[in-house]
Amino acid sequence: CQFEYFEASDHIGRLALFLLDKCKAEEYRSCIYMTFGVVRSWSVHIEQSLDNHLHGFHVGMQTGNIEAALMNVFNYLINSFICGRNLVKLNRELDSFGGKALEYKQMAVHNLICLMQLVVSTLLISNDSPSLIGSQNTETKVLLERVTEGKDTFAICHVYILGYIEAYIFGEYELAAKMVEKRQEVEKTMSRRSLYFGMIDFYDGLVFLAMARKTNDDKWTLRAEKALSKLESFVQIGKANCEHKLFLLQAETKSLLGENENAISKYDSAIAVAGKNGFIHEQAIASERAGDFFLRNGDSRASQYYGNSNTLYLQWGAQCKADHLCKNLPF
């Protein structure tokens, strides 16, 4: 998938699984699940990768391949976050698996889990500083220093990935945009960029569109168009993961252009398809953006969409975000 040859990658992964079963080479199963679980998630719903990654963890621990076992854990946890699993349950698993990574001295995975736990905890619990980078929390500072000093570019990149998603969710668009630019600088030093089944280009597009609305600077619109184009291609590969993302970017674009009827249709499609495919967190975001749209246009339907968004955030487990939404509503 590094070069976005998804069909070929899927074919090779299936062949690897066939040979694994035929040769009964159980000692390689953890490594194959670690990679094929990622590949497979492009063409099927991300949630379908979770059991394989958990199995890869258990097999790796049994066969002594601790590194592959814990990387399966990271894939399981990050994919759980991406597909919108309940944050309360996810937080418990982060705590448990974080302890396991520390026990086996897998510090790279431990740092990544700690980063995820900081973001999940902030979404769960009311906090005066709802951004990973902006926090003055000592624990956060120590973790960021540890990651930076270790020159782990993968972890540093994830500081910005998780941080800008969180910043966007809490409406800190300028901070989110700065994080995108920092992430892209780090990516220049890496052999490949993380795509996460369209999630990165989705949030990139949302941030760029928010900045385009805020600044009226065409550079943000052009960058949003590139992100939207990426999503269009990803929908052809994995519709279940990306279709609602594309609808929301289209809705925000139509809104920016003043094409209100088309925007309403796209917002409703994004909300419906996200709900159908179980992306409750992104259904909540789409509902909130629709509420913003109706509020800007003086339409009383805003309260309905905001109410739905609040309910969905609570169902996701994001109590802090739900509180933030209610606190910042103008009515």
Side-chain angles (χ1 to χ4, degrees):
C1 287
Q2 179 174 344
F3 304 105
E4 299 183 24
Y5 298 144
F6 300 108
E7 290 185 10
S9 298
D10 187 71
H11 176 74
I12 292 169
R14 287 173 176 274
L15 178 61
L17 285 177
F18 171 78
L19 293 173
L20 180 71
D21 291 334
K22 188 174 180 64
C23 299
K24 299 181 179 178
E26 197 66 11
E27 66 272 22
Y28 297 109
R29 186 173 297 277
S30 186
C31 289
I32 290 173
Y33 276 11
M34 179 179 70
T35 52
F36 185 56
V38 175
V39 171
R40 189 67 178 145
S41 294
W42 277 101
S43 54
V44 301
H45 197 291
I46 300 165
E47 195 171 32
Q48 293 186 34
S49 73
L50 300 183
D51 285 344
N52 281 345
H53 284 309
L54 270 184
H55 186 51
F57 162 70
H58 291 299
V59 171
M61 296 301 289
Q62 291 165 5
T63 58
N65 195 340
I66 306 301
E67 185 176 357
L70 271 298
M71 278 307 299
N72 269 296
V73 158
F74 171 70
N75 289 338
Y76 168 79
L77 294 170
I78 195 73
N79 286 2
S80 293
F81 180 75
I82 291 169
C83 69
R85 284 188 62 226
N86 181 267
L87 293 176
V88 176
K89 295 178 181 177
L90 178 57
N91 197 46
R92 286 199 294 265
E93 291 181 323
L94 286 164
D95 189 55
S96 174
F97 285 124
K100 187 69 71 174
L102 190 59
E103 177 186 350
Y104 285 90
K105 297 181 172 60
Q106 296 295 307
M107 298 312 297
V109 173
H110 177 68
N111 288 339
L112 290 165
I113 291 174
C114 286
L115 289 170
M116 288 186 63
Q117 198 160 23
L118 284 169
V119 172
V120 169
S121 295
T122 301
L123 288 163
L124 279 168
I125 304 167
S126 294
N127 192 310
D128 292 333
S129 181
S131 69
L132 184 63
I133 301 299
S135 176
Q136 298 302 307
N137 183 284
T138 302
E139 180 187 0
T140 304
K141 287 183 176 181
V142 170
L143 176 59
L144 296 179
E145 286 172 5
R146 187 166 73 230
V147 168
T148 305
E149 289 171 3
K151 297 181 180 179
D152 183 346
T153 53
F154 186 73
I156 293 169
C157 195
H158 279 72
V159 169
Y160 297 123
I161 288 172
L162 294 167
Y164 96 103
I165 290 172
E166 183 188 27
Y168 175 81
I169 288 173
F170 283 99
E172 298 184 16
Y173 303 135
E174 290 181 355
L175 177 60
K178 288 177 183 177
M179 289 189 190
V180 172
E181 291 174 348
K182 288 181 179 180
R183 186 201 81 222
Q184 290 174 339
E185 285 299 312
V186 175
E187 286 173 341
K188 291 176 183 177
T189 69
M190 301 171 68
S191 60
R192 63 183 178 90
R193 64 186 287 256
S194 297
L195 299 173
Y196 284 126
F197 326 114
M199 182 190 74
I200 300 297
D201 289 286
F202 172 58
Y203 282 100
D204 280 2
L206 289 176
V207 170
F208 298 153
L209 286 162
M211 290 301 294
R213 184 179 302 283
K214 187 170 185 140
T215 65
N216 292 318
D217 190 333
D218 287 342
K219 79 171 183 179
W220 297 112
T221 305
L222 292 172
R223 294 175 76 177
E225 287 174 358
K226 291 180 182 179
L228 195 148
S229 178
K230 279 284 190 182
L231 258 296
E232 287 175 339
S233 65
F234 292 153
V235 165
Q236 304 305 312
I237 302 157
K239 195 173 182 180
N241 298 322
C242 296
E243 188 178 25
H244 67 282
K245 294 177 172 67
L246 177 60
F247 281 141
L248 184 52
L249 290 188
Q250 289 172 335
E252 289 283 85
T253 301
K254 297 296 183 185
S255 172
L256 194 63
L257 295 172
E259 299 178 16
N260 289 357
E261 290 304 316
N262 287 334
I264 293 170
S265 174
K266 294 295 184 180
Y267 281 124
D268 285 339
S269 294
I271 293 165
V273 174
K276 181 185 74 173
N277 290 326
F279 290 86
I280 192 168
H281 57 322
E282 290 167 355
Q283 187 183 15
I285 290 169
S287 298
E288 185 180 1
R289 292 292 81 80
D292 292 343
F293 166 82
F294 285 116
L295 183 65
R296 283 193 302 272
N297 287 279
D299 192 314
S300 61
R301 283 177 285 180
S303 60
Q304 174 190 337
Y305 283 88
Y306 283 133
N308 290 341
S309 179
N310 184 68
T311 299
L312 291 163
Y313 281 127
L314 289 173
Q315 288 175 5
W316 182 31
Q319 179 69 56
C320 181
K321 171 55 191 177
D323 293 345
H324 177 269
L325 177 63
C326 292
K327 182 180 178 180
N328 287 279
L329 288 177
F331 46 79

